[in-house]
Amino acid sequence: MSSSVPARLSSVLADVFGAAPEAITLETAVGKLEGWDSFGHLQAVLALESEFGVQFDPAKIPELTSVAKLKAYLEGKGVAWE
Amino acid sequence: MTATDPRLAAREALKLAAERGDAVALAAALRALLQAGPKPGDYAFASARLLALDDQAAKGAGLRPLRVFCARSVTVEPLLPQLVCAGAAAGLVLRVEVGGYGSFADELTNPAGALARANPELVLLIGDAEDLAGDLRPACAGGSGEEIAAAAEATGRALAGLIAGLRRHSKARLVVQGLLQPDRPALGDVADANLARGEGWAIAEVNAALARACREAGDAVLFDVDRVASRCGRARFRDERMFRSNRVAVSAECFEPYTRALVRAIRPLYFPARKVLVTDLDNTLWGGIVGEDGPDRIATAAEFPGNCYQEYQRLLRELTRRGILLAIASKNNPPDVEEAFARRERDILLRLEDFAAVQIGWHPKSEMLRTIAKQLSLGLDSFLFVDDNPVECAEVQLALPEVLTVNIPAAEPWRIAGLVGAALEVFDQLSITDDDRGRVAEYRAQKQRAELEAGAGSREEFLGSLGIVCTALSALDAPLSRTAQLLGKTNQFNLTTRRHSAGDVERMARLPGSQAWAVRVRDRFGDAGVVGVVLCTAQASDCVIDSFLLSCRVIGREIEAALLWLVGRHAIAAGQRRLIGEYLPTKKNPPCAEFYASHGFTVVDAARTPLGTSAGTVYEYDLQSGPPPLPPWIRFEESTP
């Protein structure tokens, strides 16, 4: 498991939160980026579902509050980074 | 060498355009991105950059900025980036403020509430049946017709009350999303279909009540979301997981068709409908090439594949019923085409006379379209062009980007009617009036007038022989929907191009000393219907002409002079001493630039008029020696005020 943010993940989050891809690190979390509020979070989840062809468990969605957690969750869904 | 991904190229172009603040390039890049099949992140990326444009820059790129307030009971936020992109593709920058989940009723009806404070130009009401019509489904479950009817009536009345409540304090335009039909009706498929009243019936009733409330409110439109859901498939349209957990009422895979349909509902509130469909003949109106196959062997018949072409012909015939004009642009020898229409009269569902303009020859298609536009006195931006040949389509797109071009596949004739049908949203309008229905006959009369003019000695003799009668009507009774339609879509002979809504006209007509006229024109060849509008306000001792417009199909008969006479006469009767006219130039209205100057008006400094300032040219006409003259060949009638 790599310790940086995979480009496919950071580019989706950067688009949705209106940030530069470099600004997305594993530590980036809800409330730390201007666009990452509760609606931004939902929008990010929907975009990630479409990008990676997975479905998030709605009960888990509110808990995935950082890039590291999102990355780990996607890996748990079988997403492999190139 | 790596192939460039058009999606990434469009993104890069969009980013560069945003950095340079180049709104025109940004709009073009956005169109390219939408065509390339964007990902969800791309919509967010593009919409953020679009919304960062200031209003002035947006206008410079031909985009109209709109302050939008969305009253809602469901989560719309994740949809907004796609809505903004779809809006931009249709020429709008939608700056959306979203209301609270449980406060939509207060927002709509409270004159001091959040919506009123936002002072929006457009209001969207987006709710789910669970929130807007919560009593309906339980009432339907028992299968009692009386109970169902009572619940539908009560729900319809409550929702209509919200619309009327908004209209009492706001003149914003309004789009109301209707209710969705349930995928699984309360009584089950069989009972719901067979009982006189079931849930399906009740939902349709409530939607009809909403449409009625929109018509009564004016400047309001029902967005038939159920139509989109049925096109997408109702089960696919909603993602129960996201609806139950986050109140997102549309599945992410249907965001694109949903937002596009919502913009389609918004568009007729702001943009005039196109008016003309120009069709190619060979492998489009019929199968085969008439010049090579001969009139007897082209495919147009009740059997396959001729029935595919008949389906397209049927679609075109339907369009003429609501006033959309048809024209032909075809590379052929005219006698071949005439022979085909004559010999295959029973198999071709249209006659050559059904086409308001016909261009058959060997000029480039763009040139043919230009000629048709001139013949019909209509702008090319009101044209839709259908052709099977990609080269012809590309030639038209390049030479005349304002024409909407539909390239149909020659090898798959069964797709023609569907592809053209999907493009017909550019003909969408909120109301279809008698004037629309009479338009095709009116253009036929226009052709006869042109023939008469060619044979007449002088212009006066020709005009005198037409027997023109103008009837002045109150702009409120033209009917008002026709007045609003003319204000919304007249481009060429329109002195100020102020797009007043029906509500604006009502308010203006109520002001003391004001005049609000619509004019109906007929002659010995036919009735052109209501074709002109004049709105004037009284300011001190002046009659200020706020709006003056005439449909281009009656230009050249001095109807406009007769209208000045009408306004002048009434201004004198009201004790006013001057007519003040204003010309505000647009890209489209140079044909009327000299109108006031050539009708006895003189240029005056705006500061010496009640206008104070003007972005155009201001004119005055002294009424002391009477109104501007009425042309001798026009008889003027006034209906009772």
Side-chain angles (χ1 to χ4, degrees):
Chain A
M1 201 172 101
S2 136
S3 62
S4 66
V5 186
R8 259 176 99 190
L9 177 58
S10 63
S11 69
V12 170
L13 296 177
D15 279 348
V16 171
F17 300 139
E22 310 82 69
I24 307 294
T25 68
L26 283 175
E27 290 72 39
T28 308
V30 171
K32 288 195 186 164
L33 270 180
E34 201 188 332
W36 199 343
D37 55 14
S38 61
F39 289 124
H41 188 62
L42 187 56
Q43 204 180 317
V45 166
L46 291 170
L48 291 172
E49 286 190 342
S50 157
E51 174 73 26
F52 296 104
V54 296
Q55 282 203 347
F56 282 53
D57 175 352
K60 294 280 189 309
I61 292 173
E63 299 166 12
L64 304 173
T65 50
S66 70
V67 175
K69 287 177 184 166
L70 284 169
K71 177 169 175 267
Y73 187 78
L74 287 167
E75 284 161 356
K77 288 270 168 190
V79 171
W81 318 108
E82 284 114 54
Chain B
M1 205 174 91
T2 52
T4 334
D5 179 342
R7 184 188 137 252
L8 293 176
R11 263 188 75 122
E12 190 57 28
L14 204 138
K15 187 171 164 225
L16 289 174
E19 282 165 6
R20 284 201 313 272
D22 182 344
V24 177
L26 198 150
L30 177 68
R31 277 192 297 274
L33 182 62
L34 291 179
Q35 274 196 342
K39 296 185 174 192
D42 296 333
Y43 289 109
F45 174 82
S47 105
R49 275 151 190 83
L50 198 75
L51 293 173
L53 290 178
D54 64 33
D55 285 358
Q56 216 49 45
K59 283 180 195 157
L63 296 167
R64 177 175 173 148
L66 278 184
R67 285 190 312 280
V68 185
F69 189 96
C70 179
R72 53 73 183 267
S73 78
V74 291
T75 305
V76 296
E77 284 81 351
L79 284 156
L80 293 179
Q82 295 202 21
L83 181 65
V84 168
C85 291
L92 297 166
V93 178
L94 303 171
R95 304 192 190 280
V96 186
E97 179 178 335
V98 180
Y101 284 94
S103 50
F104 59 88
D106 178 69
E107 287 156 6
L108 289 168
T109 54
N110 184 349
L115 184 151
R117 283 197 302 278
N119 186 26
E121 294 158 284
L122 172 68
V123 172
L124 308 176
L125 172 56
I126 304 218
D128 185 80
E130 284 186 3
D131 312 306
L132 266 52
D135 299 336
L136 203 55
R137 186 166 172 109
C140 292
S144 147
E146 276 175 32
E147 190 188 354
I148 294 171
E153 209 273 331
T155 303
R157 190 155 20 86
L159 294 177
L162 295 180
I163 295 172
L166 172 74
R167 195 43 92 233
R168 272 194 289 279
H169 71 86
S170 166
K171 56 181 224 174
R173 297 176 193 194
L174 172 68
V175 173
V176 180
Q177 177 172 304
L179 301 186
L180 267 181
Q181 286 285 354
D183 187 29
R184 308 252 178 234
L187 297 166
D189 292 4
V190 177
D192 202 72
N194 284 276
L195 290 174
R197 286 168 187 154
E199 194 180 359
W201 174 88
I203 298 277
E205 277 292 292
V206 173
N207 284 340
L210 284 171
R212 198 159 48 238
C214 286
R215 289 195 298 274
E216 282 164 10
D219 301 321
V221 48
L222 175 73
F223 165 42
D224 185 6
V225 69
D226 191 63
R227 174 91 46 204
V228 195
S230 68
R231 256 181 223 139
C232 295
R234 285 206 178 79
R236 205 188 124 214
F237 189 67
R238 175 158 294 179
D239 176 352
E240 205 58 29
R241 179 179 59 106
M242 281 298 171
F243 182 55
R244 293 297 153 206
S245 61
N246 287 285
R247 300 304 284 173
V248 182
V250 179
S251 70
E253 61 172 322
C254 293
F255 279 6
E256 197 273 333
Y258 172 82
T259 51
R260 213 153 32 85
L262 180 54
V263 167
R264 178 173 179 174
I266 296 171
R267 190 157 73 169
L269 288 168
Y270 293 95
F271 297 113
R274 290 186 188 237
K275 296 168 186 155
V276 189
L277 187 148
V278 185
T279 182
D280 175 40
L281 295 176
D282 292 333
N283 283 323
T284 302
L285 194 71
W286 54 60
I289 296 169
V290 67
E292 292 172 12
D293 303 326
D296 296 323
R297 296 192 46 209
I298 53 172
T300 171
E303 305 81 37
F304 184 82
N307 57 359
C308 301
Y309 298 98
Q310 283 197 341
E311 194 53 31
Y312 174 55
Q313 295 160 14
R314 210 168 278 124
L315 182 71
L316 297 188
R317 201 172 57 186
E318 284 171 15
L319 292 176
T320 64
R321 301 255 352 255
R322 58 171 156 124
I324 289 154
L325 301 173
L326 302 180
I328 292 173
S330 166
K331 288 192 175 166
N332 261 311
N333 293 315
D336 291 342
V337 171
E338 283 154 23
E339 196 189 354
F341 273 97
R343 288 177 65 111
R344 303 297 298 274
E345 193 184 353
R346 287 191 188 170
D347 300 321
I348 303 175
L349 306 179
L350 291 156
R351 290 157 180 257
L352 209 42
E353 296 79 51
D354 292 323
F355 294 88
V358 176
Q359 282 294 304
I360 297 164
W362 302 97
H363 294 298
K365 295 258 166 141
S366 60
E367 217 167 288
M368 294 187 185
L369 290 175
R370 277 203 193 92
T371 310
I372 293 169
K374 209 173 290 166
Q375 284 174 353
L376 300 176
S377 345
L378 288 170
L380 283 158
D381 58 355
S382 63
F383 278 45
L384 175 75
F385 172 61
V386 182
D387 200 307
D388 66 297
N389 185 333
V391 178
E392 304 283 19
C393 289
E395 190 267 328
V396 168
Q397 264 171 341
L398 191 69
L400 308 170
E402 64 272 42
V403 173
L404 183 69
T405 299
V406 179
N407 190 183
I408 49 121
E412 299 169 303
W414 52 89
R415 292 181 59 205
I416 300 175
L419 282 171
V420 175
L424 293 184
E425 63 179 63
V426 296
F427 292 123
D428 279 350
Q429 45 186 22
L430 287 178
S431 59
I432 316 282
T433 62
D434 286 344
D435 293 289
D436 293 321
R437 279 183 286 273
R439 185 169 307 119
V440 173
E442 171 54 21
Y443 273 89
R444 202 169 296 149
Q446 189 82 312
K447 262 193 202 164
Q448 294 171 326
R449 275 184 211 107
E451 284 157 21
L452 177 71
E453 184 169 15
S458 70
R459 178 158 179 266
E460 280 70 21
E461 193 187 316
F462 161 66
L463 290 168
S465 70
L466 287 176
I468 302 170
V469 180
C470 294
T471 310
L473 309 162
S474 156
L476 302 179
D477 310 327
L480 184 56
S481 59
R482 174 60 178 164
T483 301
Q485 195 188 47
L486 281 168
L487 283 161
K489 72 178 189 183
T490 308
N491 292 321
Q492 295 182 342
F493 199 95
N494 191 338
L495 273 304
T496 55
T497 321
R498 295 192 174 110
R499 303 296 190 194
H500 293 304
S501 67
D504 297 336
V505 176
E506 279 184 311
R507 268 183 295 280
M508 210 178 290
R510 274 202 297 270
L511 297 172
S514 67
Q515 300 185 44
W517 297 109
V519 67
R520 188 174 191 103
V521 177
R522 63 174 199 271
D523 66 16
R524 58 185 259 222
F525 290 109
D527 190 338
V530 175
V531 289
V533 172
V534 190
L535 304 173
C536 311
T537 58
Q539 303 199 22
S541 61
D542 290 328
C543 170
V544 179
I545 303 173
D546 172 273
S547 297
F548 192 117
L549 61 89
L550 209 55
S551 165
C552 40
R553 61 193 146 113
V554 294
I555 299 299
R557 295 181 239 165
E558 290 293 315
I559 312 284
E560 53 276 29
L563 277 174
L564 283 179
W565 169 82
L566 171 78
V567 167
R569 235 164 45 95
H570 283 267
I572 292 171
Q576 293 154 354
R577 290 205 282 272
R578 271 195 311 179
L579 295 179
I580 302 295
E582 191 180 14
Y583 170 69
L584 300 176
T586 69
K587 253 187 248 163
K588 298 290 187 56
N589 75 355
C592 60
E594 298 304 318
F595 170 60
Y596 285 124
S598 60
H599 287 83
F601 282 62
T602 48
V603 175
V604 63
D605 182 355
R608 293 190 42 240
T609 74
L611 293 172
T613 60
S614 169
T617 315
V618 181
Y619 297 86
E620 64 177 356
Y621 188 95
D622 187 351
L623 291 170
Q624 297 207 335
S625 48
L630 177 68
W633 53 81
I634 295 178
R635 195 152 64 80
F636 219 108
E637 292 174 347
E638 271 179 52
S639 74
T640 39

